Amino acid sequence: MDLSSYTFHNPWLLLTLLIIPILAFWYYKRGIKSSSPMPLPGLGEITHQLSIKEVFSRFLPILKLLGLAGLLIALARPQLTLQEEEVKAEGIDIMMVMDLSSSMLAQDFSPDRISISKVMAQSFVEKRPYDRIGLVVFAGEAFTQCPLTVDHDIVDAFLGSLQCGLLEDGTAIGMGLATAVNRLKESKAKSKIVILLTDGSNNAGYIKPMTAADIAKEIGVKVYSIGVGSNGRARAPVSRRQDGSFVFGTTRVDIDETLLTEMSKQTGGQYFRATTSQQLEQIYAYIDTLEKTEIEVNVYKRYEEKYRGFLLFGLGCWLLSWLLGHTLLRRLP
């Protein structure tokens, strides 16, 4: 039995187990004394052979010692500790808004912007176990990919399946933000935020980005916007073939940082620029530290009594040794 997983109500009684090796030594010495040969005239050449009965009778003291150990451990009242945690979390509602325009296939990130953005977003979601998280995607139009949920496996799966080219091409930043804000307007969470990631300038949609930012401010939503793309020029899609595949060429990286900064400032958030995958990772880590969930954890302990098994074991060993000693292994005086 593994006693390391138990606690004891009377641990000091375990000291009585020290008597076990003392008794074992006493049994051993008594056995040597009782087995001393008795001199018999004329039988000196006879070699003494132990019978099966004699061999098994030597195990009776071991059985008694095991029984005594079981009884002593039972007296110490072994208990198994069962811990329960009650978590009370004031979670944050987070809508992630991802740009799926064709420019997100630009290869200034390895292998491209959208691949790195998905991985970083998934890592961020993994670190927020108590928050409700949803996902909005946009290009020339916007829609909710995943509503607010605490099932982060679903969010992770949706992020992993994102692809450029599924929506009408363009960059409708205002539509993406407005869709996310609409999902948060009924939220009762103490804190509501939007993390908007894009690599371009608003050039589509019928809602202006600043109009969406004003609505966000009215309902208490903070917007953290991230501009993704290197400085200067990058290899990116410049056109599309009839079969749907993209034609790549070198184009200028054009991010409307002024707009993104104003949107974030208007709502009490911040704007960040990521020109490398390392910077993008650091930005998500920084946002994670800014928006912390308040968690209250109450730990309850319950104890399950385990002395009965040791008690039955000890009594069983004693009873078996008594029965064997008075029947099969009985020794005559």
Side-chain angles (χ1 to χ4, degrees), residues 107-303:
Q107 297 172 351
D108 49 352
F109 284 61
S110 179
D112 50 47
R113 295 173 185 171
I114 187 62
S115 297
I116 293 298
S117 298
K118 291 193 299 183
V119 171
M120 297 305 173
Q122 287 173 317
S123 177
F124 176 81
V125 170
E126 185 180 352
K127 297 174 183 177
R128 313 288 301 195
Y130 301 108
D131 298 322
R132 291 200 306 167
I133 300 178
L135 176 63
V136 167
V137 295
F138 71 95
E141 54 188 335
F143 72 92
T144 302
Q145 182 81 36
C146 179
L148 288 166
T149 179
V150 292
D151 189 345
H152 293 177
D153 288 338
I154 292 179
V155 181
D156 183 80
F158 275 122
L159 282 168
S161 66
L162 294 182
Q163 296 181 35
C164 297
L166 299 179
L167 300 174
E168 178 186 350
D169 206 15
T171 308
I173 296 175
M175 292 290 291
L177 178 55
T179 303
V181 170
N182 186 56
R183 286 289 179 176
L184 291 168
K185 67 180 181 181
E186 302 297 333
S187 170
K188 304 297 182 183
K190 186 176 180 181
S191 181
K192 297 172 283 189
I193 71 171
V194 168
I195 302 176
L196 187 149
L197 184 145
T198 184
D199 69 342
S201 302
N202 187 72
N203 57 20
Y206 55 85
I207 298 179
K208 295 181 179 180
M210 287 309 301
T211 301
D214 289 337
I215 298 172
K217 180 182 179 181
E218 286 296 320
I219 64 174
V221 176
K222 284 192 287 187
V223 178
Y224 293 98
S225 53
I226 305 173
V228 180
S230 59
N231 295 311
R233 304 175 71 83
R235 179 175 169 78
V238 293
S239 63
R240 201 165 186 178
R241 300 186 182 94
Q242 290 184 350
D243 62 1
S245 62
F246 291 99
V247 177
F248 283 78
T250 302
T251 62
R252 182 173 176 271
V253 177
D254 184 20
I255 300 175
D256 193 343
E257 296 192 276
T258 302
L259 172 65
L260 296 176
T261 301
E262 187 60 30
M263 285 169 51
S264 297
K265 182 179 179 181
Q266 178 81 352
T267 60
Q270 292 185 45
Y271 166 70
F272 306 92
R273 176 68 183 273
T275 59
T276 65
S277 58
Q278 291 77 16
Q279 287 182 343
L280 183 57
E281 182 179 14
Q282 292 168 3
I283 289 167
Y284 272 116
Y286 181 63
I287 294 175
D288 181 51
T289 61
L290 289 178
E291 299 291 339
K292 300 303 291 183
T293 302
E294 293 183 11
I295 303 171
E296 179 183 347
V297 180
N298 297 320
V299 180
Y300 301 93
K301 286 187 177 182
R302 293 187 296 113
Y303 297 96

Side-chain angles (χ1 to χ4, degrees), residues 72-116:
L72 293 176
I73 293 174
L75 286 174
R77 281 184 62 185
Q79 299 172 326
L80 190 62
T81 303
L82 306 175
Q83 288 191 350
E84 296 179 354
E85 289 188 357
E86 179 183 348
V87 179
K88 297 179 180 178
E90 293 186 10
I92 297 173
D93 281 354
I94 304 172
M95 287 301 300
M96 307 190 76
V97 183
M98 301 285 289
D99 188 346
L100 292 185
S101 60
S102 61
S103 59
M104 287 292 289
L105 292 172
Q107 297 172 351
D108 49 352
F109 284 61
S110 179
D112 50 47
R113 295 173 185 171
I114 187 62
S115 297
I116 293 298

